């Protein structure tokens, strides 16, 4: 016969001690907020459920955030915790919990939550849409998590491996009101159990909460993980910011989200410095001038096509710290990054991780695009920039081997000798 699995008793440590409990200090909380705002700009926070006052235990102006903390799980059941000091424990390392509740008497907060595009929030009304199906202004309750690094060096190390976006801890299990919730998270690899790979999608809990004002329902989101690293828990009502709206914010003049813009002269000076010092990897795929010393360091060629869409760029941008001049199109990039994937927030050329605030608009490329409008195609997309600052739109791209004998079915080498096609 099939026997049910034995139950485990979980004891959550709700102490206000940040070293032991499930709270984080104000400085760390502000850091988490800034990290989410920088690396997940598609959501504007309206109200946080994962932070609150200290209930008089510390000065009233102090605000606590939630994080995963140590958890005790005992095999013996039906005993008080004081009787379980020597009991055998399971290997559950961390856990955390946060409540989704609004005081029904808090008129101000109710009005705030119901002041969005769709007025009254639709708690528990419909299934959560895919990220690509949200529209600007949609108000949802979103659960996200971020690792809390012990040192700046550890953070810098992880920053080279991935963008600082939402990440579920290894082996995350979530339940809401004692019901398991399915999430998209990293998976343990069968060939190496120490490796966990895959994407982590934020959880939209709006449809799970039937009555956010209830005084009887627990409305509790509980989290258990296998990872010892503490993670910040961020549960908040947010407004969705679509990629086109985000584009307008980034391109606004002197706005809070405006990105750096180089005018033509500034961008040209930077590009010429790169040309002269040969600090840039050639963007051209032409091999004709590789052996010609007269051309070495005297010019560079840049494509005016966005590497993401292979169409002419409209708003050419690159990373402020990228070691190349080549650009990609801002709007295409923002649309591509809506979907969580392995290339999310990577530069279109050098594969560095970039947040929108790390970008700059290149005025030199803007001039190139303005003066070659209507002439750019997949066959003719390159501009040559000379060391004296002059530039020209190159003719149609040459064949890989210049001496190709058209119609003969053969390729020519650099000496004009025929090369047979590989079978």
């Amino acid at each position: 016969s099939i026997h049910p699995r034995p139950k485990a008793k979980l004891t959550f440590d709700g102490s206000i001690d940040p070293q032991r409990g499930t709270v984080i200090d104000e400085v760390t909380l502000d850091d988490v907020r800034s990290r989410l705002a920088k690396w997940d700009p598609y959501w504007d926070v309206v109200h946080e459920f994962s932070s609150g006052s200290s209930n008089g235990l510390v000065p009233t102006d102090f605000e606590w955030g939630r994080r995963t903390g140590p958890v005790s799980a005992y095999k013996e059941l039906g005993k008080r915790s004081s009787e379980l000091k020597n009991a055998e424990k399971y290997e559950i390392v961390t856990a955390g919990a946060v409540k989704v509740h609004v005081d029904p008497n808090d008129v101000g907060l109710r009005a705030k939550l119901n002041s969005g595009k769709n007025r009254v929030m639709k708690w528990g009304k419909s299934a959560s849409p895919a990220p690509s199906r949200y529209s600007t202004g949609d108000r949802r309750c979103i659960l996200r998590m971020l690792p809390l690094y012990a040192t700046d060096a550890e953070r810098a190390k992880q920053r080279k491996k991935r963008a600082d976006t939402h990440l579920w801890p290894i082996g995350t299990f979530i339940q809401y009101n004692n019901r398991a919730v399915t999430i998209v998270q990293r998976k343990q690899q069968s060939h190496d159990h120490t490796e966990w790979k895959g994407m982590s999608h934020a959880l939209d809990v709006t449809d799970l909460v039937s009555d956010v004002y209830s005084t009887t329902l627990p409305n509790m989101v509980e989290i258990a993980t296998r990872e010892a690293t503490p993670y910040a828990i961020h549960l908040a009502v947010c407004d969705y910011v679509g990629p086109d709206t985000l584009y307008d914010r980034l391109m606004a003049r002197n706005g809070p989200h405006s990105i750096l813009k180089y005018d033509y002269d500034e961008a040209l000076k930077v590009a010429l410095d790169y040309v002269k010092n040969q600090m840039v990897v050639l963007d051209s795929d032409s091999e004709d001038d590789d052996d010609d010393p007269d051309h070495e360091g005297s010019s560079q060629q840049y494509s005016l096509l966005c590497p993401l869409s292979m169409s002419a760029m409209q708003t050419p941008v690159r990373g402020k710290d990228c070691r190349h001049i080549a650009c990609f199109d801002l709007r295409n990039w923002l649309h591509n990054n809506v979907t969580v994937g392995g290339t999310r927030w990577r530069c279109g050329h050098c594969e560095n991780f970039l947040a929108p605030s790390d970008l700059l608009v290149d005025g030199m490329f803007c001039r190139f695009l303005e003066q070659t409008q209507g002439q750019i195609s997949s066959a003719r997309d390159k501009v040559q920039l000379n060391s004296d600052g002059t530039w020209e739109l190159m003719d149609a791209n040459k064949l890989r081997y210049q001496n190709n004998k058209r119609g003969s079915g053969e390729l020519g080498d650099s000496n004009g000798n025929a090369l047979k096609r590989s079978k």
Side-chain angles (χ1 to χ4, degrees), residues 275-329:
V275 170
K276 293 174 182 178
N277 297 321
Q278 292 189 332
M279 295 176 66
V280 155
V281 177
L282 285 176
D283 188 54
S284 172
D285 59 1
S286 173
E287 299 177 357
D288 301 335
D289 298 326
D290 287 354
D291 299 323
D292 188 350
D294 294 334
H295 292 278
E296 187 174 343
S298 62
S299 66
Q300 292 282 1
Q301 293 182 13
Y302 304 108
S303 174
L304 299 183
L305 297 182
C306 174
L308 306 175
S309 65
M310 298 309 296
S311 59
M313 291 181 284
Q314 301 296 319
T315 308
V317 295
R318 67 172 184 275
K320 289 182 286 189
D321 295 325
C322 287
R323 296 180 61 84
H324 57 79
I325 301 299
C327 294
F328 52 90
D329 185 74

Side-chain angles (χ1 to χ4, degrees), residues 357-372:
S357 58
D358 296 328
L359 300 174
L360 65 83
V361 180
D362 191 296
M364 182 184 71
F365 272 84
C366 290
R367 177 76 61 85
F368 292 165
L369 290 162
E370 289 171 3
Q371 297 191 5
T372 59

Side-chain angles (χ1 to χ4, degrees), residues 13-69:
D13 184 352
S15 167
I16 64 167
D17 180 359
Q19 300 302 316
R20 301 191 302 112
T22 55
V23 293
I24 56 178
D25 59 77
E26 189 175 24
V27 174
T28 306
L29 177 60
D30 287 341
D31 180 61
V32 168
R33 287 167 174 161
S34 64
R35 289 166 65 188
L36 288 172
K38 178 176 181 176
W39 290 98
D40 197 2
Y42 298 110
W43 293 105
D44 282 342
V45 175
V46 177
H47 174 73
E48 294 176 325
F49 289 112
S50 50
S51 64
S53 64
S54 59
N55 297 321
L57 297 175
V58 290
T60 56
D61 59 347
F62 202 87
E63 192 173 29
W64 296 107
R66 299 289 181 265
R67 75 167 189 178
T68 56

Side-chain angles (χ1 to χ4, degrees), residues 253-281:
R253 189 182 297 272
N254 300 322
H257 304 284
S258 301
I259 58 177
L260 181 64
K261 299 178 179 66
Y262 277 0
D263 62 25
Y264 175 76
D265 292 332
E266 289 176 305
L268 180 62
K269 182 181 183 302
V270 172
L272 291 179
D273 287 341
Y274 273 107
V275 170
K276 293 174 182 178
N277 297 321
Q278 292 189 332
M279 295 176 66
V280 155
V281 177

Side-chain angles (χ1 to χ4, degrees), residues 342-360:
T343 60
R344 197 180 199 199
W345 300 129
R346 286 187 182 271
C347 172
H349 287 280
C350 67
E351 296 295 295
N352 284 344
F353 290 107
L354 301 171
S357 58
D358 296 328
L359 300 174
L360 65 83

Side-chain angles (χ1 to χ4, degrees), residues 41-43 131-137 239-251 329-339 344-345 356:
Y42 298 110
W43 293 105
S132 59
R133 301 297 298 273
Y134 289 117
S135 61
T136 295
D239 284 342
Y240 183 70
V241 180
D244 291 322
T245 302
L246 181 56
Y247 172 89
D248 293 338
R249 289 183 177 183
L250 298 175
M251 293 301 294
D329 185 74
L330 175 59
R331 196 184 296 271
N332 288 337
W333 188 72
L334 293 175
H335 276 272
N336 279 11
N337 283 306
V338 167
T339 304
R344 197 180 199 199
W345 300 129

